[in-house]
Amino acid sequence: MTAPWAWRWAAYALVAAISVYLVAPMAIIVVISFSDSALLTFPPPGLSLRWYRSLAETPAWRDSILVSLQVMVLTAVAATALGTAAALGLASWRGPLAATIRSLLMAPLVIPHIISGAAIFLLFDAWGWVGSLQALVLGHIALAVPYVVATVGAALETMDHRLTQAALTLGASPRIAFMRVTLPLIRPGILAGLLFAAMLSFDELIVSLFLSTPQLRTVTVLMWSNVLGDIDPEISAIATVILLVSMVLLALQWFLSRQRGVPVLQGIGR
Amino acid sequence: MKRQASRLLLLPGAAFVATVFALPVGALLLRSVSDPTWGLQNFRALWEEPVYASLIRNTVQISLATTVCCILLAYPFAHVMATRPRLTRLLTLVVLVPFWSSILVRSFAWMVLLQNNGIVNQSLLRLGLIDQPLELIFNRTGVLIGMVHVLLPFVVFPLYGAIRAMDPALMPAAACLGAGPIRAFLRVQLPLTLAGLVMGAVLVFVMALGYFITPALLGGRRDAVIARMIQLQVSQLGDWGMAATLSLVLLVATLILLGASQLLVRSPARRPAG
């Protein structure tokens, strides 16, 4: 038919090798985090929870995880509110002004995070906010808004606008029509935006690196400064925790996109 | 009237992004001509001092090598993903899981794996393939392994879409008419999927230009890239003028390449030559 069997098996072998390349590093890190040895050997000589215990007993790790969770929740909620409102405002508006505003809102997705980080640092340094929770939250919101605009915008584009029209014709007030018809229809897009914003915030390193101080830093910033020193299984334990948070959010997102076909997107600035 | 009112919903988001993002980026870029004094001295330094020339050369070389590796690995992967429906879901998951994992975590994982006494070197030694550990980290090899790992999905997804969009009868038809597999690929499949391939490749190249985390952790200490230098200049040297100049160069390159790839994708479908 298409290709001789040898070609096909060569392609399968290559795809299997690429799959191992993509997935194995994370799997190995997770296994090493349960090691009972202080060496990063694989397979580990024995299994234990000592590195997780040491994480829980170190105030710096505990504080940084708390900071990251706070920033994540505040970012996700605020970015979803701002992004959803903006997507509603942009819906069915065409023209050069609309295109300009859309570009403005989407810009943080395209501009390399190293530039965003330096610029946001410049702003908050002038305001004396570096090392504060609000600086981290505001910085992360700016990066997360475009994700929400994209997912809610996509949901608005695919929904049937005649349904809202029908509700209005049947005597619903604009507010009721929005709450009872439009909002339920775009809810998957809003939830997807919320999850993307949360994932982005929890994983974010570069902007956080500029805005953190030893007194107040996210878990990725603390992991970064540890990775630059001597690496040990404790870092693989924190890496596993970070992976776990991402995977839980991804699983929720995967489930949602299975259901309603919300696009899986990823910014290119990272 | 009502439609006009709904546009007010844009105000908070647009005002926020303008204040916290757009204006600071503008203020940063302005420093390329205003810091330490007004003038083009930063651009002259960029042009004349060899350290910046090697910085840009390193960045472009690493980005090009990453792009080529991504294309070579992504094509067969996307092909199997698109043409074997039973594997599609599994392979999507295989790409999606790393895609959404922290880049810091993944770069750390590669540090562990590629160390002198890391798993890769130990396995190769045990298998007798090498006599002494290979230098896999703190050099270009390490950067390439780590960057391709991060950027591969950005070629896989557009390619998958392009291959899926192809008429499945075309390749059997080419074979029927006497084309061998290589000829059929080069004359039929490759031209038809070229737009997806180019889009993914440009995306990877552009993202690689601005990469910070992976080169900083896996790269050689003297083999700096643009993003690393921007961070150093801001947080350690306080040289805002040069940081802004490098940012401007990086941003202009990013926007030009992305704009060009958009034009290419929007232009009417090119027919396979011949």
Side-chain angles (χ1 to χ4, degrees), chain A residues 230-262:
Chain A
D230 280 332
I231 53 178
D232 62 25
E234 190 183 50
I235 307 180
S236 60
I238 201 70
T240 305
V241 171
I242 295 174
L243 275 183
L244 187 70
V245 173
S246 306
M247 287 309 118
V248 168
L249 294 168
L250 179 67
L252 285 171
Q253 162 60 30
W254 175 260
F255 178 72
L256 279 172
S257 69
R258 293 267 103 193
Q259 303 277 302
R260 313 281 176 125
V262 174

Side-chain angles (χ1 to χ4, degrees), chain A residues 1-2 4 7-8 11-12 14-15 18-19 21-23 25-26 28-29 32 40 42 82 85-86 88-90 92-93 101 104-105 107-108 110-112 114-116 118-124 138 141-143 145 147 174 196 199 203 205-206 209-210 220 223-224 227-228 231-232 235-236 239 242-243 246-247 250 254 258 264-268 270, chain B residues 2-3 6-7 9-10 12-14 16-22 24-25 27-28 31 73 76-77 80 84 87 89 91-106 108-113 115 119 122 144-145 148-149 152 154 172 175 181-182 203 206-207 210-213 216-217 227-228 230-231 234 240 247 250-251 254-255 258:
Chain A
M1 267 263 303
T2 46
W7 280 88
R8 188 171 307 163
Y12 283 156
L14 188 59
V15 167
I18 295 170
S19 301
Y21 166 68
L22 284 173
V23 176
M26 278 112 72
I28 288 170
I29 283 303
I32 286 179
L40 289 157
F42 184 87
L82 288 172
L88 285 167
L90 275 175
S92 74
W93 185 14
I101 297 180
L104 170 71
L105 288 165
V110 179
I111 294 181
I114 192 77
I115 298 177
S116 314
I120 295 173
F121 173 77
L122 193 63
L123 175 76
F124 290 137
L138 293 176
I141 294 172
L143 299 182
V145 162
Y147 286 79
F196 277 131
M199 281 162 97
D203 273 3
L205 170 66
I206 298 174
L209 206 55
F210 282 107
T220 49
M223 180 176 162
W224 168 262
V227 170
L228 291 179
I231 53 178
D232 62 25
I235 307 180
S236 60
I242 295 174
L243 275 183
S246 306
M247 287 309 118
L250 179 67
W254 175 260
R258 293 267 103 193
V264 171
L265 87 165
Q266 162 87 282
I268 67 162
R270 303 212 294 178
Chain B
K2 211 167 289 145
R3 188 162 286 173
S6 80
R7 291 179 190 173
L9 287 168
L10 273 170
F16 180 85
V17 175
T19 314
V20 176
F21 189 82
V25 168
L28 171 70
R31 294 208 171 192
L73 293 182
F77 194 91
V80 171
R84 300 286 146 208
L87 290 176
R89 275 191 74 172
L91 292 182
T92 307
L93 207 62
V94 163
V95 182
L96 219 53
V97 167
F99 191 52
W100 271 107
S101 308
S102 148
I103 296 169
L104 173 60
V105 167
R106 288 192 274 164
F108 165 70
W110 282 116
M111 287 175 80
V112 173
L113 265 69
Q115 289 178 84
I119 296 135
Q122 275 177 359
L144 212 56
I145 291 174
V148 172
H149 190 248
L152 191 61
F154 290 91
I182 295 175
L203 215 55
V206 163
M207 292 178 71
Y211 251 58
F212 168 69
I213 301 173
L217 290 182
R228 177 74 172 151
I230 294 175
Q231 193 252 353
V234 168
W240 280 97
S247 296
L250 179 58
L251 188 61
T254 301
L255 295 181
L258 283 180

Side-chain angles (χ1 to χ4, degrees), chain A residues 45-58:
Chain A
L47 298 177
S48 82
L49 288 174
R50 67 180 273 206
W51 300 111
Y52 290 92
R53 209 170 300 126
S54 122
L55 279 188
E57 284 164 1
T58 311

Side-chain angles (χ1 to χ4, degrees), chain A residues 104-173:
Chain A
L104 170 71
L105 288 165
M106 300 311 279
L109 203 72
V110 179
I111 294 181
H113 277 194
I114 192 77
I115 298 177
S116 314
I120 295 173
F121 173 77
L122 193 63
L123 175 76
F124 290 137
D125 193 37
W127 292 3
W129 279 12
V130 170
S132 71
L133 199 66
Q134 70 265 29
L136 284 167
V137 173
L138 293 176
H140 284 195
I141 294 172
L143 299 182
V145 162
Y147 286 79
V148 184
V149 173
T151 56
V152 178
L156 278 166
E157 225 152 72
T158 49
M159 77 168 258
D160 188 348
H161 289 275
R162 286 172 306 181
L163 293 171
T164 315
Q165 289 301 324
L168 291 169
T169 315
L170 291 171
S173 68

Side-chain angles (χ1 to χ4, degrees), chain B:
Chain B
M1 196 59 219
K2 211 167 289 145
R3 188 162 286 173
Q4 301 290 338
S6 80
R7 291 179 190 173
L8 283 177
L9 287 168
L10 273 170
L11 208 57
F16 180 85
V17 175
T19 314
V20 176
F21 189 82
L23 291 177
V25 168
L28 171 70
L29 297 180
L30 191 64
R31 294 208 171 192
S32 61
V33 288
S34 75
D35 191 293
T37 57
W38 287 93
L40 293 175
Q41 71 275 7
N42 292 319
F43 290 92
R44 204 168 304 126
L46 186 73
W47 187 251
E48 283 168 1
E49 285 177 31
V51 63
Y52 295 114
S54 77
L55 197 66
I56 291 172
R57 195 176 51 237
N58 287 347
T59 311
V60 171
Q61 281 172 353
I62 289 173
S63 304
L64 272 179
T66 304
T67 310
V68 170
C69 290
C70 279
I71 291 173
L72 292 179
L73 293 182
Y75 210 105
F77 194 91
H79 182 83
V80 171
M81 200 168 138
T83 53
R84 300 286 146 208
R86 272 188 300 172
L87 290 176
T88 301
R89 275 191 74 172
L90 177 70
L91 292 182
T92 307
L93 207 62
V94 163
V95 182
L96 219 53
V97 167
F99 191 52
W100 271 107
S101 308
S102 148
I103 296 169
L104 173 60
V105 167
R106 288 192 274 164
S107 300
F108 165 70
W110 282 116
M111 287 175 80
V112 173
L113 265 69
L114 300 177
Q115 289 178 84
N116 267 353
N117 54 356
I119 296 135
V120 172
N121 267 322
Q122 275 177 359
S123 310
L124 291 175
L125 283 171
R126 210 168 300 147
L127 289 171
L129 293 173
I130 51 174
D131 301 326
Q132 51 187 22
L134 298 172
E135 299 272 335
L136 296 172
I137 198 178
F138 305 130
N139 55 28
R140 289 280 171 94
T141 314
V143 177
L144 212 56
I145 291 174
M147 301 250 303
V148 172
H149 190 248
V150 175
L151 294 171
L152 191 61
F154 290 91
V155 199
V156 169
F157 286 130
L159 257 183
Y160 168 74
I163 298 173
R164 274 296 290 268
M166 248 176 61
D167 185 341
L170 280 175
M171 292 303 276
C176 247
L177 294 170
I182 295 175
R183 192 175 153 87
F185 175 77
L186 289 178
R187 301 294 284 272
V188 179
Q189 181 164 354
L190 189 62
L192 283 171
T193 52
L194 199 61
L197 186 67
V198 169
M199 211 175 87
V202 171
L203 215 55
V204 165
F205 183 74
V206 163
M207 292 178 71
L209 285 181
Y211 251 58
F212 168 69
I213 301 173
T214 313
L217 290 182
L218 300 174
R221 292 285 170 262
R222 296 209 194 114
D223 198 23
V225 293
I226 292 179
R228 177 74 172 151
M229 186 59 110
I230 294 175
Q231 193 252 353
L232 274 179
Q233 275 162 336
V234 168
S235 51
Q236 286 175 31
L237 308 173
D239 186 350
W240 280 97
M242 274 325 288
T245 308
L246 289 172
S247 296
L248 186 71
V249 170
L250 179 58
L251 188 61
V252 168
T254 301
L255 295 181
I256 288 178
L257 287 167
L258 283 180
S261 77
Q262 287 294 314
L263 283 181
L264 201 78
V265 171
R266 271 192 213 139
S267 71
R270 277 144 318 244
R271 258 179 234 157

